[in-house]
Amino acid sequence: MLATALVALDATIIATASAVIARDLGGFEQVPWLFSTYLLAQAVSTPLYGRLADILGRKRLMLVGVGLFFVGSVLCGAAWSMGALIAGRVLQGLGAGAVMPVSMTITSDIYTIEERARTQGYLASVWAVSSVVGPTLGGVFSEFLSWRWIFFVNVPLCVLAAWMLVRSYHESPLDGEREPIDYLGAALLAGGSTLLLLGLLEGGSTWAWDSPASLGIFGAAALLLATFLARSRRTSHPLLDVTILRRRVVGASTAVSLLVGVIVLGLSTYVPIYAQGVLGWGPLVAGFALAALTLGWPLSASNAGHLYLRIGFRLTAVIGSVVVLTGTSLALLLDAGSPIGGVAALCFVVGVGMGLTAVPTLIAAQSSARFTERGAVTGTNMFARSLGSAVGVAVCGAIVNAHTTIAADGTPEGPGLMTAMRLVFLVLAACAAVLLVSAALMPADRTQARERRAALATEHARPADAAEPQEA
């Protein structure tokens, strides 16, 4: 939770200080790269770290991630130019790319299926708290101290997280000879993913979708990823065995994660724009309306275990997807006179649905994997969510740009804003419908859930003196 707090705080704390940073260091046109480079580095490295955690061990990779975040935070805090700050953000993103999948893999390793939903809820609660605390701290540091403390505040957190990991997390040595690392495969996957995400994030804004730059980037991404797939089939020890996606539970879970990325990114980006640009509320009220989503998610995620133990992973995810579809469908009723409380309510509904969908499907995929491939499954799942976020940026951004003009502060405005919001909410509702289909494609497991529940009840009913003797 401490290591996750580093990533969660950093995702929100810088937003309120970007204008102050630009005035101090210059280069206002480079401000978007403070976010893009971080997201790119995190997304691209996530599947690599997930697989390396299977080969080298969880603890080592987690400490590498915290160490990179520490160095990146120091460089950002001491940045003398916008270029140095962007370089620090890249290091922070590389650290975050290790922390997120490895922390969830560790959770899968050390907790039972019964306990895992609650612990995943704890991790989700870190994001919920950070979504409120992050922007507040960013504003306080920028106005009363210095924007540099936005990054320096990470230093003691990194030290504390690393100390607790070294002191409290004891990992058994991996059995057998260490599997060789496919460095060429890593380079191909990293290069292809970087170009793909870069094209999705910058297309339609930095360059036109049909421009030579866009076509060249997507063409190179396709070539590198195709080469990676061909190599992964030929080599005996691929960095990422893509055949795991053929397993129904892993493939469906990955599809769910991708759609979760689209929906969450769409709401997180455009609910505040709708609340401010259409309804006329300030950024603080708009932020609190969106915070309802991050409140509903951990509340339902922490209680999802009670549900999937009774009815199984698939039915739990289907119920959650129906709730998400209900919330996004309610967004289609929004207009220029809608109450802000109604916006917050539908965000809360979507958050509740996400907790019942994203967490059980991830746990189901992790539970189906061996210890030596659990990190790869987790990393692939989280990369799919990052890819979904990039797709959401591209699709929703193209819709908004086609109906509005961009103000000096970079936000869309104009008479077509409400039309653009309706189309964005329609896309999100359509994605929620596909999310429901993807959840329904999970393998049926209600019988297994009944057996797990019976075994758990038997274990709890067993008297203490009847327990099997344990070896010292």
Side-chain angles (χ1 to χ4, degrees), residues 424-450:
V424 166
F425 294 145
L426 180 61
V427 168
L428 298 182
C431 288
V434 181
L435 176 71
L436 175 58
V437 174
S438 300
L441 290 175
M442 294 277 292
D445 64 328
R446 194 166 186 176
T447 301
Q448 293 91 323
R450 192 180 300 116

Side-chain angles (χ1 to χ4, degrees), residues 188-207:
L188 291 169
L189 178 60
S193 302
T194 299
L195 291 174
L196 175 61
L197 292 170
L198 180 64
L200 290 170
L201 290 171
E202 299 299 324
S205 55
T206 304
W207 49 72

Side-chain angles (χ1 to χ4, degrees), residues 112-383:
T112 64
I113 290 180
E114 293 78 20
E115 299 167 326
R116 215 172 296 162
R118 188 167 66 252
T119 55
Q120 293 283 10
Y122 294 155
L123 292 176
S125 70
V126 173
W127 285 92
V129 172
S130 298
S131 67
V132 177
V133 173
T136 305
L137 283 178
V140 169
F141 288 151
S142 300
E143 186 169 351
F144 298 106
L145 294 173
S146 168
W147 61 265
R148 297 182 185 276
W149 282 101
I150 289 173
F151 304 103
F152 285 141
V153 75
N154 294 327
V155 171
L157 287 176
C158 286
V159 173
L160 181 60
W163 176 75
M164 289 192 70
L165 279 167
V166 171
R167 179 177 180 271
S168 303
Y169 179 51
H170 306 293
E171 187 175 35
S172 301
L174 296 176
D175 297 329
E177 187 177 352
R178 196 185 82 179
E179 184 178 310
I181 299 173
D182 181 14
Y183 293 103
L184 178 57
L188 291 169
L189 178 60
S193 302
T194 299
L195 291 174
L196 175 61
L197 292 170
L198 180 64
L200 290 170
L201 290 171
E202 299 299 324
S205 55
T206 304
W207 49 72
W209 289 111
D210 57 353
S211 66
S214 185
L215 296 176
I217 286 175
F218 283 120
L223 178 61
L224 289 174
L225 291 175
T227 306
F228 167 75
L229 291 174
R231 178 175 176 80
S232 66
R233 292 192 185 98
R234 291 196 309 267
T235 183
S236 55
H237 296 286
L239 180 77
L240 188 63
D241 187 1
V242 293
T243 59
I244 61 174
L245 295 176
R246 296 177 185 171
R247 301 178 197 168
R248 189 173 166 187
V249 62
V250 177
S253 172
T254 303
V256 165
S257 187
L258 187 144
L259 291 159
V260 165
V262 176
I263 296 169
V264 171
L265 188 282
L267 288 176
S268 301
T269 303
Y270 292 105
V271 162
I273 291 174
Y274 164 75
Q276 295 176 73
V278 177
L279 300 184
W281 292 97
L284 183 61
V285 175
F288 279 125
L290 180 63
L293 185 148
T294 54
L295 176 63
W297 192 318
L299 285 176
S300 62
S302 58
N303 292 286
H306 300 296
L307 195 57
Y308 68 63
L309 284 175
R310 298 186 67 84
I311 62 176
F313 292 115
R314 183 175 74 171
L315 191 51
T316 302
V318 167
I319 293 172
S321 300
V322 169
V323 176
V324 173
L325 181 58
T326 301
T328 52
S329 297
L330 289 173
L332 299 177
L333 302 177
L334 297 176
D335 56 30
S338 298
I340 192 67
V343 179
L346 71 86
C347 286
F348 181 80
V349 169
V350 173
V352 170
M354 287 298 181
L356 295 175
T357 304
V359 172
T361 51
L362 173 60
I363 294 175
Q366 289 175 328
S367 302
S368 72
R370 300 188 302 272
F371 179 87
T372 54
E373 60 184 14
R374 197 173 292 153
V377 168
T378 306
T380 302
N381 187 282
M382 299 193 67
F383 175 73

